[in-house]
Amino acid sequence: MDQMTVTEVSRSLGLSTRMLRYYEGLGLVRSRRREGYSYRVYDPEAVARLRQLLLLRKLRIPLRQVKRILDDPSAQAAIQVFQDKLKELEGELDALGSIRDILQELLAALKGRYWLPAGAVLLNDVRLLDLAGALEAPDLQTQEKGKRSMEDLNRAEENAAKLKDVRIVHLPAATVAAAHYVGPDPEDHAGKMIGDFARENRLWETGSSVRLYGFNHPNPPPEGGEYGYEFWVTIPEDMEVPAPLEKKRFPGGTYAAHCIQMGNFHEWQWLFGWAYESTEYEINGSGTPEDMYGCLEEHLNYYDHVQETPEGVCTQLDLLIPVKKRG
């Protein structure tokens, strides 16, 4: 296989160039500048390493452990990481199994006395009362059984919390400079526009909070067309914004927020699952997929990152879904 450009690798592996730069910044892969050309390329070994990296990420291996595996000349690191991951997954399966068994028992009890209120059935279920009483029973064997059951439930709740690490936050209204680009690698193009603007105006010295929001736009792309991305950076209200950037007003609002490491965008699905299941909040989006239903990605601590690196790449993001209290 010949050397591949950044764009070729991006299209071949389904990775944005933003993610490729992020992986390079972590030392997970290296590109090099082709002699006589201004663009960078990946050799066959680097492309193979990227394929291995993507496989390990699909197996839910954290990036720091991915680096350990790929940098280890032997298989020892991989063996240890895989053993730990299997142990973790077995614990999750055990905890979920406990919840499933208890739900099945509760369901059977309710079906058998469907004409009664659910509370009356649950409070009078002998098995459940025995389980609760086992925590204080003098019989050590019964105590241990109750203890194990409660530990299973607690562990299940902890595992579920990992998927539902959600905060309710209020984002203040703000004036923003907006950069919008449609075409290949739109995050990179729009991000460069915003980064250049922020550095030229030294936003961190203007009293602005320098918060950076982004969203796919359009989302999804038109039939056979390119998708786009739009960035907003907060600015002082009286600051002028040169074309092609636009000056806009962000109204702010209440959002359900979930923090991720760069690249873990599959966790959008988890956050939407939380929002659909919440009994306290409901989605309060724009009603159109064109702007991701009003959802945002906040690139955390852009204030420092835009000063430190030319790309201003952030390693953590908040995924944000607009919500309101259920009426």
Side-chain angles (χ1 to χ4, degrees):
M1 181 174 59
D2 294 332
Q3 294 173 336
M4 299 175 68
T5 65
V6 172
T7 300
E8 288 171 340
V9 171
S10 173
R11 290 176 177 172
S12 174
L13 300 184
L15 275 174
S16 70
T17 54
R18 177 175 58 163
M19 285 305 304
L20 286 172
R21 286 204 312 271
Y22 176 61
Y23 289 149
E24 285 207 44
L26 294 178
L28 286 162
V29 67
R30 286 187 176 85
S31 63
R32 64 181 185 82
R33 201 170 297 282
R34 177 181 284 178
E35 187 176 350
Y37 294 90
S38 60
Y39 55 85
R40 304 186 71 82
V41 296
Y42 292 89
D43 60 28
E45 290 75 16
V47 174
R49 185 177 172 98
L50 276 169
R51 293 184 187 278
Q52 295 163 356
L53 184 157
L54 293 177
L55 170 62
L56 293 170
R57 291 296 288 141
K58 287 180 180 178
L59 295 174
R60 294 171 56 184
I61 306 298
L63 283 174
R64 64 181 181 279
Q65 295 179 341
V66 168
K67 192 171 190 308
R68 276 184 58 205
I69 291 171
L70 297 183
D71 288 347
D72 189 349
S74 72
Q76 293 303 309
I79 291 171
Q80 183 62 54
V81 169
F82 291 169
Q83 286 177 337
D84 292 344
K85 176 57 69 174
L86 284 171
K87 191 174 181 180
E88 175 188 326
L89 292 174
E90 286 166 2
E92 291 181 14
L93 290 173
D94 287 345
L96 291 173
S98 295
I99 289 179
R100 179 199 59 205
D101 293 343
I102 291 174
L103 283 173
Q104 286 176 339
E105 188 168 335
L106 292 177
L107 182 60
L110 291 170
K111 283 182 175 180
R113 285 163 279 179
Y114 66 87
W115 59 89
L116 295 175
V121 175
L122 300 181
L123 289 175
N124 287 284
D125 188 282
V126 176
R127 288 271 299 130
L128 289 178
L129 293 176
D130 286 346
L131 177 60
L135 297 176
E136 299 178 357
D139 184 325
L140 293 179
Q141 184 176 359
T142 306
Q143 278 187 333
E144 186 60 29
K145 180 180 179 181
K147 180 181 177 183
R148 284 200 305 271
S149 298
M150 293 305 295
E151 285 175 348
D152 287 342
L153 287 174
N154 290 337
R155 186 166 62 249
E157 288 179 347
E158 290 173 1
N159 288 328
K162 293 178 183 176
L163 308 183
K164 300 180 181 179
D165 177 21
V166 177
R167 310 174 332 270
I168 301 299
V169 300
H170 181 80
L171 301 183
T175 301
V176 300
H180 183 213
Y181 185 86
V182 177
D185 307 317
E187 300 95 340
D188 295 335
H189 288 282
K192 185 177 187 304
M193 292 162 65
I194 284 289
D196 290 345
F197 170 79
R199 282 184 290 273
E200 288 169 6
N201 290 275
R202 301 184 69 82
L203 280 185
W204 52 89
E205 296 178 357
T206 64
S208 167
S209 59
V210 197
R211 298 182 71 166
L212 183 71
Y213 305 107
F215 57 97
N216 292 340
H217 182 47
N219 176 64
E223 185 72 24
E226 300 279 4
Y227 83 98
Y229 201 84
E230 185 163 323
F231 273 116
W232 296 342
V233 65
T234 57
I235 61 174
E237 191 170 347
D238 59 354
M239 177 172 281
E240 295 297 322
V241 175
L245 274 63
E246 294 183 56
K247 188 174 184 178
K248 296 185 177 183
R249 184 68 180 170
F250 170 46
T254 302
Y255 289 78
H258 173 60
C259 186
I260 66 167
Q261 291 293 317
M262 174 66 80
N264 291 345
F265 295 108
H266 62 279
E267 295 186 27
W268 266 118
Q269 182 179 352
W270 299 351
L271 183 56
F272 270 105
W274 176 91
Y276 288 132
E277 295 172 6
S278 175
T279 58
E280 187 176 0
Y281 292 91
E282 62 181 329
I283 297 175
N284 187 33
S286 64
T288 171
E290 174 74 7
D291 62 353
M292 278 179 55
Y293 297 97
C295 297
L296 297 170
E297 297 170 348
E298 180 174 7
H299 298 239
L300 300 179
N301 196 23
Y302 189 65
Y303 184 98
D304 286 332
H305 288 295
V306 74
Q307 301 178 59
E308 295 168 355
T309 64
E311 296 85 0
V313 175
C314 302
T315 58
Q316 285 186 312
L317 297 89
D318 261 351
L319 308 183
L320 299 159
I321 295 179
V323 296
K324 64 180 180 180
K325 285 271 192 176
R326 290 191 179 273

